[in-house]
Amino acid sequence: MQAGAASHTGPQAAVRLDPQAVTQRWRQAQGAHRRVGDLYARDRQLLTIDFHEEIGYLLRAPAFGRVLITPSGRELLCDPEPDRPDWAAILSAQALPFAATLCGFEVFHAAGVVANVGAVLLTGPPGAGKSSLAAALVRRGAALLSDDVVALEHCAKDDSLIAHPGPAVLNLRPAEDERLSGAEQAMLGSSTKVAGKRRYAPAAHGDAAPLAGLFMLERSSRAPAIERLDEVDPFALIAANFNLCVRTPERLKRNLDLVARLAASRRVYLLRIHPDVDATRLAMTLQEQLVTVAL
Amino acid sequence: MSSLSTQELLRSQARLPQHVVHRSFVAETVVLNLRTGKYHGLNQTAGRMLEALETSATIGAVIPELAREYEVDESKIESDLAELCHELLARELIEIGEPAG
């Protein structure tokens, strides 16, 4: 995992497939670790996160396997579930973003693309349309930063906010994917079916990019469609963070600092998604607005 | 609720412990206790009061300035300020000590 463009290099992390090392190291943690995260879908446990101060964080997803992340976030040891060819989903969806937080980035639940004005981030609840809109922007020439998680960093040198790329795949729900023509699907690159969604690998932006705007998606028929927020709800930004498990004083302060900079940047917008407007039209409207957004 | 009377409170200094940080936003101030990981939101007026308290030798010393700023009686500021301080004390977001200097 390498973060950053030539002018925004970031820390690197080593990822290793080593089930034995995971077992041996975590054995030393027995009795002295604590549960810091639990993720359920209805009654099904999806992910647990345990922490030991010296050994690190053990992420365990019953269907995929385990990943042990050292406290610095610079080393990830993987113990995949046998006979599970898609086990690496725990890496891209959980472990790497988690490690990015430990490495000093603030990771948001957001889709992100890089347009000609810079990085455009899309946040919102599940089903708000983040992936659909990101896909529509990619079809209009933007490059994908990430579908699910985007790392933000404050660059002290020029007091800017920088968005770093995540896993370069786009997951579309069946209903949205079926709306696309063959040509539109082809523009999103090669695809496979994963967990009921269509996963595309479009043209990706492999480098970090300056933040042009963060758009908070909301389903609404109110106008205007795009509104710069003069009053940003800080708790909405705090809640949009991917990692609520790492709660050291240093990390909490860093997160609050970044949220404050983001709110003060005047680059946070509300993007209202009218029920009658599809992602393609919305992407056109957003791109037209992006020129003024960047000023 | 703190056992200090209002007059004792006004003669004291309010200090933010090192493990408490705050950041101002347009509509509110977020106060974060780094030890507990708990966030607290203050409205604009309370946020302004906290800001004034940080640089004041005593709690009472900020009353005239705030009364002018908000164009209200000093007695109103005094009671609101005392209430805020008791609340912040109860949440361990400030410490009360001898006046500075």
Side-chain angles (χ1 to χ4, degrees), chain A residues 179 218-222 272-279:
Chain A
R179 265 199 280 268
E218 178 184 279
R219 296 213 163 250
S220 169
S221 52
R222 282 177 57 198
R272 294 187 177 94
I273 303 181
H274 193 283
D276 294 340
V277 175
D278 67 16

Side-chain angles (χ1 to χ4, degrees), chain A residues 21-158:
Chain A
V22 174
T23 301
Q24 279 174 352
R25 284 200 202 179
W26 196 250
R27 191 174 291 141
Q28 297 165 43
Q30 289 313 314
H33 65 270
R34 57 190 170 87
R35 178 68 44 94
V36 295
D38 246 318
L39 188 61
Y40 280 83
R42 296 193 183 88
D43 291 331
R44 195 161 59 97
Q45 189 174 61
L46 296 179
L47 180 75
T48 60
I49 303 171
D50 293 297
F51 172 62
H52 182 279
E53 208 159 312
E54 281 157 22
I55 295 166
Y57 294 85
L58 183 70
L59 277 60
R60 198 184 334 230
F64 295 92
R66 303 184 299 171
V67 180
L68 180 61
I69 309 173
T70 55
S72 66
R74 304 294 176 92
E75 190 184 12
L76 291 85
L77 300 173
C78 305
D79 176 16
E81 197 61 31
D83 303 322
R84 189 76 201 222
D86 60 345
W87 71 269
I90 187 180
L91 260 184
S92 58
Q94 296 292 335
L96 286 172
F98 200 103
T101 302
L102 297 173
C103 285
F105 297 93
E106 286 303 319
V107 182
F108 287 81
H109 272 300
V113 302
V114 178
N116 52 350
V117 294
V120 175
L121 272 54
L122 310 167
T123 68
K130 302 185 289 293
S131 299
S132 304
L133 183 52
L137 288 165
V138 166
R139 294 197 304 275
R140 293 182 64 78
L144 183 69
L145 264 182
S146 177
D147 180 27
D148 197 33
V149 287
V150 177
L152 274 186
E153 180 193 14
H154 173 246
C155 180
K157 210 164 42 171
D158 56 7

Side-chain angles (χ1 to χ4, degrees), chain A residues 153-220:
Chain A
E153 180 193 14
H154 173 246
C155 180
K157 210 164 42 171
D158 56 7
D159 197 29
S160 63
L161 291 169
I162 306 298
H164 290 270
V169 292
L170 252 176
N171 297 298
L172 292 184
R173 294 167 193 241
E176 180 61 27
D177 189 52
E178 282 155 19
R179 265 199 280 268
L180 301 178
S181 66
E184 286 172 329
Q185 288 174 337
M187 290 168 83
L188 295 177
S190 59
S191 72
T192 53
K193 211 160 179 187
V194 177
K197 290 186 181 181
R198 178 63 61 177
R199 174 171 290 175
Y200 290 94
H205 196 275
D207 291 330
L211 179 71
L214 184 148
F215 294 81
M216 305 175 90
L217 273 59
E218 178 184 279
R219 296 213 163 250
S220 169

Side-chain angles (χ1 to χ4, degrees), chain A residues 230-235 237-238 247-250 252-253 255-257 259-261 263-264, chain B residues 21-41 44:
Chain A
D230 292 322
E231 283 185 22
V232 177
D233 178 1
F235 292 105
L237 290 180
I238 291 167
R247 301 182 72 75
T248 61
E250 298 73 25
L252 289 175
K253 185 168 177 295
N255 176 252
L256 183 60
D257 279 339
V259 164
R261 287 184 198 283
Chain B
V21 295
H22 65 91
R23 296 292 179 269
S24 296
F25 296 82
V26 169
E28 64 189 301
T29 294
V30 175
V31 185
L32 171 59
N33 184 326
L34 295 172
R35 268 192 205 153
T36 63
K38 280 191 183 169
Y39 296 86
H40 306 262
Q44 283 180 319

